[in-house]
Amino acid sequence: MTKHFNVSRRGFLKLGGTTAAIAGAVGGSRLHAMEQKLGGEDFSPVTGKPRQAVPYTCMVCNIEDGGIAYVEDGRVVKLEGNPDHPGNRGKLCAKGNSGFQHVYDPDRIMTPLMRAGARGEGKWKRISYDEATSILATKLREVIQRSEKAGDPAIRNEIVFKWGRNRTGGAVHRFMHAMGSNAMVNHTNICESSKKVGLEPSWGPDIESVDYTNTKYVLNFGSNVMETAYFHNPNAQRLVDGMVANKAKLVTFDPRLSNTAGRSDEWFAPFPGTDGAIALAMAQVIMTEKLYDDAFIRNWTNVTPERLIAHLAPYTPEFAEKESGIAARDIRRIAREFATTKPAATFSYRGPCKHVYGSYQEAAIHMLNVITGNVEKRGGYCLPRGMGWPQPEPKPPAGKVPSVLAAPPLYPLASHAVSTHMPYMIMKGDAKVSVYMHYYDNPAYAYPSSHVWIDLLKNEKLLPFVVSFSCYMSETTELADLIIPDVTYLERHDPESMPSDLRPWLGIRQPVIKPLGNTQEFRETLIQVAHKIDSDGTLGVKKYFAFKNSEEWMRAHFDNIPGLKEDGGYDYLKKNGVWPKYGKVDPETAKIVDKNGNEVQPEFGLYLKELSATDMAGAEVKPDGTIVKNGKTIGCQVNGRNHVGFGTPSARIELYKESYKKYGFNPLPVYKRLPSRDKKADELVLTTYKVNVHTQSRTASLKYLAELYHKNPAWMNPKTAAAKGIADGDLIRVTSPLGYLVTKVHVTEGIHPDVVAVSTACGHSAYGRLAQLKHRDKDAEWALGGDPDITHNVWWDDKGVHPNPIVRLAVDPIGGSQGWYDTVVTVSKAQPGDKYGDVKVSVEQSMKDYEETLRYAYTGDIHRANHKEVDVDWDHLPKPQAGAGH
Amino acid sequence: MTECPTLTQFDAGEECGAQAGLFALLGRCLEAEIDERLLTALRGELREPLAEAGVDSACLDGDIDRVLGDAAVEFAALFVVPGAASPYASTFQTGALFQEPADRVARWYADNGFAFRNAHSGEFPDHVGTMLAFVGKLYEVEATALAESRVEAAREVRERRGRFVVEELGSWAPGWCRVAAAVAEHPFYRQVLALTERVLWEELSNLVSARRLRELSAANARGPARMPLNPDYRKASGL
């Protein structure tokens, strides 16, 4: 080669090449690729000094991952996953990494504001937290005193509290119960409520935790696990572990080619709302071909295989093919694969359940796991594991009178409420409101027929006083009378636990920096308001808020939990962020290992735990094996052993739900054909979806995320588009019975030909300049504020179009879920004069939808017509009453 | 004005005192809402000198509650509510609240014997009103030093004030005043902002060379920079 290395080029290549090829035989050097640290420490790139690491719990979305915030000079400069957290194992998603931008957002509300002009006019006066809490206290005290004077506790329900995301660990309930009001309205029916109501009567609280890591087969119905969905980050990690390391097969049913569908071994695009038909047909195959777990069904459910076989007889794969469009031969094949591959599990989240009759669909999917005996198995379909925390004493009792808003009488099975109905009920005079408070909530953007909420929020007769605790000027908050801004999640305290791993954990959200600019966390606001309402203690409110500050409140939660108490209670969590510490996350396998390197195994078969002699003392074993003590089921006897069983009245999995039957619903999982299935040939079903870098409504103001995703063209199949003369990028008009919107089209084969799909998170009319791209509308406003990112770095001029105004209200009469994917629309090329972003909708038409959806409720005529098979005394169904069945 | 070599020590001290008052007034007007006391002054002894400086306080005449209410709403819309002309150096320079500029300014305050204490939540040391008030304080110190014939101390504080104005306000505050004045709906704030811009340019022109002044002028003229958009840029995800 050279004068110093006298070898021919050919010889050199041979020597080097051969050595490389037999590297293993030659032996390794002492050098290895540097192992990537999992985190836990960070340094200033300027000074080299270590940054302060403060553990916290994320709250950009609802997964509540554990994080470490790095603080330099009192400022959050970086976030990363907490390597000791069993759920997310040291990793955060894009949303979690960007969350610190919430803290320093120039469009954050930093001081209480009092409305000065007409509601929604945008005129405000700055006031102090002290003034703001005094104003709110006065309004609340007026209602309480009026209730006292009239001797009518129902008046207390005129104090209404609505939230979108309530992770306060019981603070809101404490406050409202101290007011004597039960009028608390969550957001769950626009989320997964019918999934829960499909599952919970069957096996106890909350949804499944799939052991993806150890499974061999996952049947995914309409869930986008790798991008969004419940426990997105933890589940995505484990699903990839299972697919790569355990060679698990993933089969996805979804009308849209999500990134999960695209990474599946097989993707099927069924007609929206037909997942239940597919699941029932699979169950039919499994039962008739005797692929089921006979012992599990007989011992651990309240039905027999024979009964199920008879019930499932009509649901043949051919029937399902007709409904869903999925070939019967594929349904048959996948049913056999699912039943014979062990372990296996299904997962579904907001696909099947977000339809009218979504609870039936969820119950049908759940049943597949039960009949194949995959419940609570390693690699199977497991119960959720979470940890609770005690509420500080004294605890206020619930209000004396049920609230029709919190527990609508026509939906007795909807144990997670029916929040979509609230504006309609108030407009129709079903409930009176004096003080309306909302927290982490944006229904004027996030709800179906969102224009109805705007109409309500503007109505000063129906809502005389509206208070927002938001630190962002959202579409809802801009319609408030008083804003008492909370801090961001990185500046506040909350107890936390989520079933994001099969090893339960308890975490803390704590201020990683002091509340910015002396802003005040919501918890402190509650303490102040309670003290001002009841300064002398005579109203019985103040005693429930005898905390000096938030830290003292947290100590009352954490300092007496057995085990944690011995480890240091609140102080342990403050230092570590999560408890218990199961072990270390192995950097190569991502498994949690003990000091010997062995994986710390989760516990399986929770229902098989045996009751102790102490447990059994005074208990009675019923003829069906149910073990009852003090009037409550504590377990069940199977093969002579006393097990804790499942969280149901029989302690078994109740595939047959008596509670459903009581109101004329089918007690067993069934398929009900939806009106959308009978749409005309040229109509389409509108579906919406979340994307991997945004929550539904709260992240469009985060700069990192807005740059990644900010516009949302409607997905349409090429065949459908061609038939309508529509080309990729065209301006289109999407029309539902409520009105229309004008948007652009993205023509792709990744969507069912009968579906048009539009993502959420875009098209804001509020939520700060970035979310609205206000600067593009008007140069003066562009420069206003002088944010150089807005001025120089926003390269896009399209904020997207929000689909929710044209989505019709339609709820599942069982679980109460909004049928997000049941709106039938027409799509055409935009008409002359149409402009991108135009939205025109009718409140009157939405009111008709409300009347229509009530016809599906258990008292309605459509309900009766759709459930002729149910053997119930239709003339003597229970009378509607607030709180019944909830 | 302050560097004028022909001024006597007494005159210089008097002028420093006047500058102190002017910066204090401008800072007060931008830092917080007008209260009854300030309104009385604006309608009374300040009316004439303000009018000469281009601020016609007749727009503040009328029923006190209404005047104060209207001014408070305008103040919130201009400087407080999301979407307003954020009055913070951090926002203008970094796109985020409470960043390094706030630390730098706080250090300036501390080094000169002042501590920042917010009156309302959401206030930071790098508020343009607070920074103007700080300039006023330095003028006041200088005036006192001159009155006490502490010439070296006066020179030292004058140098510090000059550095602060150039380094912390020079590259953005006059331009910010122009933008804020352009969107102000209340004539009082429009005029006060315009006056503040003029005062700052006057101050700067006394402190830096003509070349540097042109650079600062360019920095303050910052406008929206449009990037060419490629309509063909699309991805399957819809981006």
Coordinates of all heavy atoms in Angstrom, one line a residue, chain A residues 74-112:
Chain A
G74 N -33.5 28.2 38.2 CA -34.9 28.4 38.5 C -35.8 28.2 37.3 O -37.0 28.6 37.4
R75 N -35.3 27.7 36.2 CA -36.1 27.6 35.0 C -36.1 26.2 34.5 O -35.0 25.5 34.5 CB -35.4 28.5 34.0 CG -36.3 28.9 32.8 CD -35.6 30.0 32.0 NE -35.7 31.3 32.7 CZ -34.7 32.0 33.2 NH1 -33.5 31.7 33.0 NH2 -34.9 33.1 33.8
V76 N -37.2 25.7 34.0 CA -37.3 24.3 33.5 C -36.6 24.4 32.1 O -37.1 25.2 31.2 CB -38.7 23.8 33.3 CG1 -38.7 22.3 32.9 CG2 -39.5 24.0 34.6
V77 N -35.6 23.6 31.9 CA -34.9 23.7 30.6 C -35.1 22.4 29.7 O -34.8 22.4 28.6 CB -33.4 24.0 30.7 CG1 -33.3 25.4 31.2 CG2 -32.8 23.0 31.7
K78 N -35.5 21.3 30.4 CA -35.6 20.1 29.7 C -36.5 19.1 30.5 O -36.4 19.1 31.7 CB -34.2 19.5 29.5 CG -34.1 18.2 28.8 CD -32.6 17.8 28.7 CE -32.5 16.3 28.3 NZ -31.1 15.9 28.3
L79 N -37.2 18.2 29.8 CA -38.0 17.2 30.4 C -37.5 15.8 29.9 O -37.2 15.7 28.7 CB -39.5 17.4 30.2 CG -40.1 18.7 30.7 CD1 -41.6 18.8 30.2 CD2 -40.0 18.9 32.2
E80 N -37.5 14.8 30.7 CA -37.3 13.5 30.2 C -38.0 12.5 31.1 O -38.5 12.8 32.2 CB -35.8 13.1 30.0 CG -35.1 13.0 31.3 CD -33.6 12.6 31.2 OE1 -33.1 12.8 30.1 OE2 -33.1 12.0 32.1
G81 N -38.1 11.2 30.6 CA -38.8 10.2 31.4 C -38.1 9.9 32.7 O -36.8 9.9 32.7
N82 N -38.8 9.5 33.7 CA -38.2 9.1 35.0 C -37.8 7.6 34.8 O -38.6 6.7 34.6 CB -39.3 9.2 36.1 CG -38.7 8.8 37.4 OD1 -37.7 8.2 37.5 ND2 -39.4 9.2 38.5
P83 N -36.5 7.4 34.9 CA -36.0 6.0 34.6 C -36.5 5.0 35.7 O -36.4 3.8 35.4 CB -34.5 6.1 34.6 CG -34.2 7.4 35.3 CD -35.4 8.3 35.1
D84 N -36.9 5.5 36.8 CA -37.4 4.6 37.9 C -38.9 4.3 37.7 O -39.5 3.6 38.6 CB -37.1 5.2 39.2 CG -35.7 5.1 39.6 OD1 -35.0 4.3 39.0 OD2 -35.2 6.0 40.4
H85 N -39.6 4.9 36.8 CA -41.0 4.8 36.7 C -41.4 3.5 35.9 O -41.0 3.3 34.8 CB -41.6 6.0 36.0 CG -43.1 6.2 36.3 ND1 -44.0 5.3 35.8 CD2 -43.7 7.1 37.1 CE1 -45.2 5.7 36.2 NE2 -45.0 6.8 37.0
P86 N -42.2 2.6 36.6 CA -42.5 1.3 35.9 C -43.4 1.5 34.7 O -43.4 0.6 33.8 CB -43.2 0.5 37.0 CG -43.7 1.5 38.0 CD -42.8 2.7 37.9
G87 N -44.1 2.6 34.7 CA -45.1 2.7 33.5 C -44.3 3.1 32.2 O -44.3 2.3 31.3
N88 N -43.7 4.2 32.2 CA -43.1 4.7 31.0 C -41.6 4.4 30.9 O -41.0 4.7 29.9 CB -43.4 6.2 30.7 CG -42.9 7.1 31.9 OD1 -43.3 6.8 33.0 ND2 -42.1 8.1 31.6
R89 N -41.0 3.9 32.0 CA -39.6 3.3 31.9 C -38.6 4.3 31.3 O -37.8 4.0 30.4 CB -39.6 2.0 31.2 CG -40.6 1.0 31.8 CD -40.4 -0.4 31.2 NE -40.7 -0.4 29.8 CZ -40.9 -1.5 29.0 NH1 -40.8 -2.7 29.6 NH2 -41.2 -1.4 27.8
G90 N -38.7 5.5 31.7 CA -37.6 6.5 31.3 C -37.9 7.2 30.0 O -37.1 7.9 29.5
K91 N -39.1 7.0 29.4 CA -39.3 7.6 28.1 C -40.6 8.5 28.2 O -41.6 8.2 28.8 CB -39.6 6.5 27.1 CG -38.4 5.6 26.8 CD -38.6 4.6 25.8 CE -37.5 3.7 25.5 NZ -37.2 2.7 26.5
L92 N -40.5 9.6 27.5 CA -41.6 10.5 27.3 C -42.0 10.6 25.8 O -41.1 10.4 25.0 CB -41.4 11.9 27.8 CG -41.2 12.1 29.3 CD1 -41.0 13.6 29.5 CD2 -42.5 11.7 30.0
C93 N -43.2 10.8 25.5 CA -43.6 11.0 24.1 C -43.3 12.5 23.7 O -42.9 13.3 24.4 CB -45.1 10.7 23.9 SG -46.2 11.9 24.6
A94 N -43.6 12.8 22.4 CA -43.4 14.1 21.9 C -44.1 15.1 22.7 O -43.6 16.2 23.0 CB -43.8 14.2 20.4
K95 N -45.4 14.8 23.1 CA -46.1 15.8 23.9 C -45.5 16.0 25.3 O -45.4 17.1 25.7 CB -47.6 15.2 24.1 CG -48.4 15.2 22.8 CD -49.7 14.4 23.0 CE -49.4 12.9 22.9 NZ -50.6 12.1 22.9
G96 N -45.1 14.9 25.9 CA -44.4 15.0 27.2 C -43.1 15.8 27.1 O -42.8 16.6 28.0
N97 N -42.3 15.6 26.1 CA -41.1 16.4 26.0 C -41.3 17.9 25.8 O -40.5 18.7 26.1 CB -40.3 15.8 24.8 CG -39.4 14.6 25.2 OD1 -38.5 14.8 26.0 ND2 -39.7 13.5 24.7
S98 N -42.5 18.2 25.2 CA -42.7 19.6 24.9 C -43.5 20.3 26.0 O -43.7 21.6 25.9 CB -43.6 19.7 23.6 OG -43.1 18.9 22.6
G99 N -43.8 19.6 27.0 CA -44.8 20.2 28.0 C -44.3 21.4 28.7 O -45.0 22.3 29.1
F100 N -42.9 21.6 28.8 CA -42.4 22.8 29.5 C -42.7 24.1 28.8 O -42.7 25.2 29.4 CB -40.9 22.6 29.8 CG -40.1 22.8 28.6 CD1 -39.5 24.0 28.3 CD2 -39.8 21.8 27.7 CE1 -38.7 24.2 27.2 CE2 -39.1 21.9 26.6 CZ -38.5 23.1 26.3
Q101 N -43.1 23.9 27.5 CA -43.4 25.2 26.8 C -44.8 25.7 27.3 O -45.0 26.9 27.1 CB -43.5 24.9 25.3 CG -42.2 24.5 24.7 CD -42.2 24.3 23.2 OE1 -43.2 23.9 22.6 NE2 -41.1 24.6 22.5
H102 N -45.6 24.9 27.9 CA -46.8 25.4 28.5 C -46.4 26.5 29.6 O -47.1 27.5 29.7 CB -47.5 24.3 29.3 CG -48.5 23.5 28.4 ND1 -49.4 24.1 27.6 CD2 -48.7 22.2 28.3 CE1 -50.1 23.2 27.0 NE2 -49.7 22.0 27.4
V103 N -45.3 26.2 30.3 CA -45.0 27.1 31.4 C -44.7 28.5 30.9 O -45.1 29.5 31.5 CB -43.8 26.5 32.2 CG1 -43.4 27.5 33.4 CG2 -44.1 25.1 32.7
Y104 N -43.9 28.6 29.9 CA -43.4 29.9 29.4 C -44.1 30.5 28.2 O -43.6 31.4 27.6 CB -41.9 29.7 29.2 CG -41.1 29.2 30.4 CD1 -40.6 27.9 30.4 CD2 -41.0 30.0 31.5 CE1 -40.0 27.4 31.5 CE2 -40.3 29.5 32.6 CZ -39.8 28.2 32.6 OH -39.2 27.7 33.7
D105 N -45.2 29.9 27.9 CA -46.0 30.4 26.8 C -46.4 31.9 26.9 O -47.1 32.2 27.9 CB -47.2 29.5 26.6 CG -48.0 29.8 25.3 OD1 -47.9 30.9 24.8 OD2 -48.7 28.9 24.8
P106 N -46.0 32.7 26.0 CA -46.4 34.2 26.2 C -47.9 34.4 26.2 O -48.4 35.4 26.6 CB -45.8 34.8 25.0 CG -44.8 33.9 24.5 CD -45.2 32.5 24.8
D107 N -48.7 33.4 25.7 CA -50.1 33.6 25.7 C -50.8 32.8 26.8 O -52.0 32.5 26.8 CB -50.7 33.1 24.3 CG -50.5 34.1 23.2 OD1 -50.3 35.3 23.6 OD2 -50.7 33.8 22.1
R108 N -50.0 32.5 27.8 CA -50.6 31.9 29.1 C -51.3 33.0 29.9 O -50.8 34.2 29.9 CB -49.5 31.3 29.9 CG -49.8 30.8 31.2 CD -48.6 30.2 31.9 NE -48.9 30.0 33.3 CZ -48.1 29.5 34.2 NH1 -46.9 29.1 33.8 NH2 -48.4 29.4 35.5
I109 N -52.4 32.7 30.5 CA -53.1 33.7 31.4 C -52.3 33.6 32.7 O -52.3 32.6 33.4 CB -54.5 33.3 31.6 CG1 -55.3 33.2 30.3 CG2 -55.2 34.4 32.5 CD1 -56.7 32.7 30.4
M110 N -51.8 34.8 33.1 CA -50.9 34.9 34.3 C -51.5 35.6 35.5 O -50.9 35.7 36.5 CB -49.6 35.6 33.9 CG -48.8 34.8 32.9 SD -48.1 33.3 33.5 CE -46.9 33.8 34.7
T111 N -52.8 36.0 35.3 CA -53.4 36.8 36.4 C -54.9 36.7 36.3 O -55.4 36.5 35.2 CB -53.0 38.3 36.3 OG1 -53.5 39.0 37.4 CG2 -53.5 38.9 35.1
P112 N -55.6 36.7 37.4 CA -57.1 36.6 37.3 C -57.6 37.8 36.5 O -57.1 38.9 36.5 CB -57.5 36.7 38.8 CG -56.4 36.2 39.6 CD -55.1 36.6 38.8

